[in-house]
Amino acid sequence: MPNYADILKEIEEEIQPLFSQGKVADYIPALSTVNAEDFAMSIQLLYGKSYHIGNTQHKFSIQSISKVFTFTLALKAYGKELYKRVNHEPSGNPFNSLVQLEYENGIPRNPFINAGAIVTTDALTSIYKENTFHTILEFIHTLTNDSSIQYDETIFCSEYQHGYRNMALINMIKSYKNIHNEIDDVMQTYFKQCSVMMNTQQLAQSMLFLANHGTNPKANEALITPSQAKRINALMLTCGHYDASGDFAYKVGLPGKSGVGGGIVAVVPQKMAICVYSPKLNSQGNSLIGTKALELFTTKTNLSIF
Amino acid sequence: MPNYADILKEIEEEIQPLFSQGKVADYIPALSTVNAEDFAMSIQLLYGKSYHIGNTQHKFSIQSISKVFTFTLALKAYGKELYKRVNHEPSGNPFNSLVQLEYENGIPRNPFINAGAIVTTDALTSIYKENTFHTILEFIHTLTNDSSIQYDETIFCSEYQHGYRNMALINMIKSYKNIHNEIDDVMQTYFKQCSVMMNTQQLAQSMLFLANHGTNPKANEALITPSQAKRINALMLTCGHYDASGDFAYKVGLPGKSGVGGGIVAVVPQKMAICVYSPKLNSQGNSLIGTKALELFTTKTNLSIF
Amino acid sequence: MPNYADILKEIEEEIQPLFSQGKVADYIPALSTVNAEDFAMSIQLLYGKSYHIGNTQHKFSIQSISKVFTFTLALKAYGKELYKRVNHEPSGNPFNSLVQLEYENGIPRNPFINAGAIVTTDALTSIYKENTFHTILEFIHTLTNDSSIQYDETIFCSEYQHGYRNMALINMIKSYKNIHNEIDDVMQTYFKQCSVMMNTQQLAQSMLFLANHGTNPKANEALITPSQAKRINALMLTCGHYDASGDFAYKVGLPGKSGVGGGIVAVVPQKMAICVYSPKLNSQGNSLIGTKALELFTTKTNLSIF
Amino acid sequence: MPNYADILKEIEEEIQPLFSQGKVADYIPALSTVNAEDFAMSIQLLYGKSYHIGNTQHKFSIQSISKVFTFTLALKAYGKELYKRVNHEPSGNPFNSLVQLEYENGIPRNPFINAGAIVTTDALTSIYKENTFHTILEFIHTLTNDSSIQYDETIFCSEYQHGYRNMALINMIKSYKNIHNEIDDVMQTYFKQCSVMMNTQQLAQSMLFLANHGTNPKANEALITPSQAKRINALMLTCGHYDASGDFAYKVGLPGKSGVGGGIVAVVPQKMAICVYSPKLNSQGNSLIGTKALELFTTKTNLSIF
């Protein structure tokens, strides 16, 4: 087994020259106040051990990483029925594009772009009604065995007040009748799930079930079927980084999902889950240093799925 | 180890009801004359053994599977320089779309759509000149250890005479100065490589180096670096099936590449290469039964990379 | 001078076979209840005389014809400054498309597609605040010399409740900072202006200033400059019928603007204004019989501007 | 009647400051060698008189102005049948865009973008075979009463050698079966018609039939029907300047057609035809000074059709 502690140290050194690059998300004021120089990386092995470097206690808003949680819940609840409302193809477009929605009658390309995640949250809302966000949060508590995790009210309000593009998306989808609940109810939940605050330790822990055939390794509880876990991993590989998904697969070679808050999670099937945090983003909206750190990791450990 | 012989038999039985579906490619007369009911599947393990079912001696035109061979040669020759001329992102569009070329200044999205493969062949033409097709064919001979493999003159001529869409692509790309050689020279090679005739045994054999870190297992010769082999696998996963790539990753979970002639190759890293043949295509232009056979295979063997 | 009364009678006869075609707008319940067989046509000459046929007292919702009134007010108030926020090119797309907005950074192609009309109403809202709709209505009262004209509350509410596509548009534009007021304020005014009820007599009367160099002929009051009047006419010719604007120019040859309520207004510069009403729409959302009636009119009178 | 001689002098003065702007077409070497400071403007009244300023004897390549001649011939030959193969809607896109062709199955938006003009030339080729270009040239001779007009061999060759984008267009259209003749035959004619050399006097003369209900005023010969003449004028207004057609209608207010060689023709129905020449182009590929000169002309004379 590789010496993960040493590898993390090497990575931390090698990424230093990159801190001058990238740009912290500033579409909402609450996000732009983070420390641009922050870096943290956590590795959670399937059985027990974990390795950490940097400020791994620092909580940041998980943003689009939440799409993995909501898609998991929706796939568990609806199975293949879900595919009628959201496809599973890479879009080739930015995370918030409306173009394909218009050409494809309101069926989002996949659940990891905003349009698809909004439909996913709407699907959960049809089941869990006013408890939808509570259900999502409880799922995160179960995955992390940590019920202290909450959303940040300031970020939530900020998202809500500036979320014109997302409001455009949901209205567009609703015009095609692919939103079944009240727009405001769905968007409140959507913006709350984006505002959930977690650190790299918690996020690495939370993704372990995807490295373990869908079973929470601590509780030994099957959350989803092995086949569903594989499919979520496949989706993270093909669609987890918007229009940089191909590049991430090419360079990192692991299923992963990024968030505009600076976090990226990645899964090594049967082995481990990883989370890296660094808030400066590349031009596609993914953590610039986070992406590089994961590339270094798979290069050093040879742990790519390919 | 699973009993592959039995699994192949099960697959052959389970696909029978699907033979009524799909449609043989008919854009050129020479392709439309194949036997629509044909089926063959070959598994080539990394060390030695192979398993076959169906008419595995029947040769068919490899069509877009040839893109794997040309991209391998070009990546070997140019390394990262190649990325300036062809990207590695899923396009989200059909195999022959011109739309993104216009928005993205003649840089094809990836080497596994027609536009990208044409640029790849042009890059090889800059090196190998009038020997380009010969070089490609020799590479296939090396990979298969079988120098009898040739292209089919009738199919080549037919492609050439009906290749308006591909001629549109290359002219468009050349208008952006991303084709460096004579259009006719490049297209002759391109249409020849598409017309190469191979059977499932040969194709499974030919992909083994991608399951083996880039090294031809028979000759123990490193054809490309391990990193390059991983990247080709990643590319096959994200872009190998055009606008059905996400679906293939989702359901099959293996790097793969399809051809409109009815063949699909797939790679299980460190383990094996697979080829399946059935000429009836689904609406995205991939073998309908071939896709299903591979889905059954990974379900039964649990050999998905996820 | 042609015998307009006779010509109107001929037109009424010749359109009869078309009543079996087309489809009344049904995107809101309040619109779908109109009498599909209704037809009315009014000609208002520049100096005095007018000619009418059919149910010219019947009021219908003017819908997109209101865009002429709001663009006139905005052009009067802002002059060329307005062009920074809304262009004057045909879009080549349907009336409610979001595609170009995304490629062109939230600047609508022209003020006669929904996106552009919403920006126009926003521009008026910046000046007239809570009196914006009142100002628009008063302008209509002035043009028609008829202060009884009002909007229909039922249609307004229905538009408002089903206006997801328009809500998508305004949110999208606001994400590009090209909406300066509260979304709800702008949309209330926008949906009210669409719900204004007028008959063909009133509408023909209201457009006369565009046939008269921008001067209201009754009051002899210059509402806009002659140059502005010409430009509005040019815009109606190139953009007045969405993605059927070219066809309308080709067949009718007059500046015109249609509404999904079934009305079409047209202007013969220096001579007259025309309004025709028939609620069944063609596939581009313009009155099918109204378009034909105007084509017959310019064929019979030779009054095309070309 | 305005004093046209004086007006032309005023225009020539007022455009002087603009000579520092714009850029001569340089996509082929043969075009880039023109004198960037050249300017000429000719007015040809319907009955007799003409007015000229600048170097009105200088011949330049008419380029896309040729599309008016070929569309006239094709409309005369095919009538409404032609609409099945080429539409008459503004495209909202640049002159050489392929995007809409792909979405709209190879039916070009209108005959005044390259794709549509190529289909028009193909339609003529089906009738006139190897005499197609000769027929077009003879039509120009008839219109101008000047049989000295020829195409420029150097420009033709240059177009032909660099015409990748146009070759992409015709191949794309042929893939949809909307080209019926050999690609090379059609393109030879197409590039020759673009290379026809005329001066502003000849071009103004040649457009007079469109100001005269389709009848050549000199010979009093009806070339096309009055209705066809109107439709060509309508098409020039809505589609004559690519994605600046709306702007041209808005500012100039006349049917017009521009060519990348620097010429623009315009028609004042029932009154005159105009041609202006200045080779520096604006960003949409239309003569920058030519457009301004026409805008000044209609402002000074009040001769807009609106």
Side-chain angles (χ1 to χ4, degrees), chain D residues 61-288:
Chain D
S61 69
I62 64 171
Q63 297 291 336
S64 292
I65 299 174
S66 65
K67 290 166 183 167
V68 181
F69 302 129
T70 51
F71 181 63
T72 300
L73 286 172
L75 191 59
K76 185 183 169 74
Y78 287 92
K80 292 182 185 177
E81 280 300 296
L82 192 61
Y83 309 160
K84 292 178 187 163
R85 295 186 57 194
V86 57
N87 211 327
H88 38 262
E89 282 304 320
S91 76
N93 281 326
F95 66 99
N96 57 6
S97 175
L98 280 90
V99 169
Q100 270 167 334
L101 275 187
E102 184 163 328
Y103 290 131
E104 297 172 9
N105 298 313
I107 307 296
R109 270 291 172 107
N110 67 66
F112 290 166
I113 52 174
N114 292 13
I118 288 168
V119 168
T120 305
T121 297
D122 178 66
L124 293 178
T125 306
S126 294
I127 299 174
Y128 300 109
K129 314 288 179 193
E130 65 277 12
N131 291 319
T132 306
F133 177 66
H134 181 69
T135 304
I136 296 167
L137 199 58
E138 279 210 316
F139 182 54
I140 296 172
H141 292 170
T142 301
L143 291 173
T144 54
N145 199 23
D146 182 343
S147 61
S148 75
I149 294 167
Q150 292 296 334
Y151 76 97
D152 182 283
E153 184 76 19
T154 310
I155 293 176
F156 162 69
C157 291
S158 199
E159 297 275 4
Y160 200 43
Q161 280 161 26
H162 295 80
Y164 301 119
R165 188 81 173 219
N166 286 315
M167 287 303 284
L169 284 171
I170 194 169
N171 274 285
M172 182 78 164
I173 301 169
K174 191 154 178 105
S175 78
Y176 289 106
K177 305 193 192 306
N178 195 19
I179 291 292
H180 302 165
N181 298 281
E182 289 298 314
I183 282 176
D184 200 57
D185 293 346
V186 178
M187 291 317 288
Q188 290 239 13
T189 300
Y190 179 77
F191 288 131
K192 277 184 190 164
Q193 77 192 42
C194 290
S195 309
V196 166
M197 303 300 284
M198 294 171 77
N199 60 34
T200 57
Q201 291 199 19
Q202 293 165 332
L203 276 164
Q205 178 69 42
S206 75
M207 291 292 149
L208 218 45
F209 76 107
L210 290 175
N212 193 35
H213 305 299
T215 292
N216 189 343
K218 288 239 169 114
N220 201 24
E221 177 198 9
L223 301 164
I224 48 175
T225 69
S227 164
Q228 288 173 333
K230 282 182 193 176
R231 290 177 176 204
I232 295 171
N233 286 338
L235 204 62
M236 287 205 286
L237 194 94
T238 53
C239 313
H241 286 73
Y242 316 121
D243 51 342
S245 297
D247 199 50
F248 190 84
Y250 201 80
K251 292 184 181 154
V252 176
L254 292 178
K257 182 75 206 81
S258 74
V260 81
I264 305 180
V265 292
V267 171
V268 186
Q270 278 73 268
K271 291 207 172 59
M272 69 180 71
I274 311 168
C275 180
V276 60
Y277 168 70
S278 170
K280 288 172 101 177
L281 308 179
N282 61 22
S283 57
Q284 285 94 8
N286 303 309
S287 172
L288 189 147

Side-chain angles (χ1 to χ4, degrees), chain C residues 92-289:
Chain C
N93 281 327
F95 66 99
N96 57 5
S97 174
L98 280 92
V99 170
Q100 270 166 333
L101 275 186
E102 184 162 330
Y103 289 132
E104 296 171 9
N105 298 312
I107 307 296
R109 271 291 171 106
N110 67 67
F112 291 165
I113 52 173
N114 291 13
I118 288 168
V119 167
T120 306
T121 297
D122 178 65
L124 293 178
T125 305
S126 294
I127 300 174
Y128 299 111
K129 313 293 178 190
E130 65 276 15
N131 292 318
T132 307
F133 177 66
H134 181 70
T135 304
I136 297 166
L137 199 58
E138 279 210 317
F139 183 54
I140 295 172
H141 292 170
T142 299
L143 291 173
T144 53
N145 199 23
D146 183 342
S147 61
S148 74
I149 294 168
Q150 293 297 334
Y151 76 98
D152 182 284
E153 184 74 23
T154 309
I155 293 176
F156 163 68
C157 291
S158 199
E159 298 274 6
Y160 200 43
Q161 280 161 25
H162 296 80
Y164 301 118
R165 190 78 174 223
N166 286 315
M167 288 302 286
L169 285 169
I170 195 169
N171 274 285
M172 183 79 165
I173 302 168
K174 191 154 179 105
S175 77
Y176 288 108
K177 304 194 195 304
N178 196 18
I179 292 291
H180 302 167
N181 298 281
E182 290 298 316
I183 282 176
D184 199 57
D185 293 347
V186 178
M187 291 316 288
Q188 290 240 9
T189 299
Y190 179 77
F191 288 131
K192 277 183 190 165
Q193 77 192 42
C194 290
S195 310
V196 166
M197 304 299 285
M198 294 172 76
N199 61 35
T200 57
Q201 293 200 19
Q202 294 165 332
L203 277 165
Q205 179 68 41
S206 74
M207 291 292 149
L208 218 46
F209 76 106
L210 291 175
N212 193 36
H213 304 300
T215 292
N216 189 341
K218 288 239 168 113
N220 201 25
E221 178 198 8
L223 300 166
I224 48 174
T225 68
S227 165
Q228 287 173 332
K230 281 182 193 175
R231 291 178 175 203
I232 295 171
N233 285 338
L235 204 63
M236 288 205 287
L237 195 93
T238 54
C239 313
H241 287 73
Y242 317 120
D243 51 343
S245 296
D247 198 50
F248 190 84
Y250 201 78
K251 292 185 182 154
V252 177
L254 292 178
K257 182 75 204 80
S258 73
V260 80
I264 305 178
V265 292
V267 172
V268 186
Q270 279 72 267
K271 289 206 174 61
M272 69 180 73
I274 310 170
C275 180
V276 60
Y277 169 71
S278 168
K280 288 172 104 175
L281 309 178
N282 62 21
S283 58
Q284 286 95 7
N286 303 310
S287 171
L288 189 148
I289 284 171

Side-chain angles (χ1 to χ4, degrees), chain A residues 71 75 83 88-90 92 109 230-231 233-234 237-238 243-247 249-251 255 269 295 302 304-306, chain B residues 71 83 88-90 92 109 230-231 233-234 237-238 243-247 249-251 255 269 295 302 304-306:
Chain A
F71 181 63
L75 191 60
Y83 308 161
H88 39 263
E89 281 304 321
R109 270 293 171 106
K230 281 181 193 178
R231 289 175 176 206
N233 285 337
L237 195 94
T238 54
D243 50 343
S245 296
D247 198 50
Y250 202 78
K251 291 183 182 156
E295 185 182 349
N302 225 1
S304 142
I305 58 172
F306 301 113
Chain B
F71 182 64
Y83 308 161
H88 39 263
E89 282 303 321
R109 271 291 172 104
K230 281 181 192 178
R231 290 177 175 204
N233 286 337
L237 195 91
T238 54
D243 52 343
S245 296
D247 198 51
Y250 201 80
K251 292 185 181 154
E295 185 183 346
N302 224 2
S304 143
I305 59 173
F306 302 112

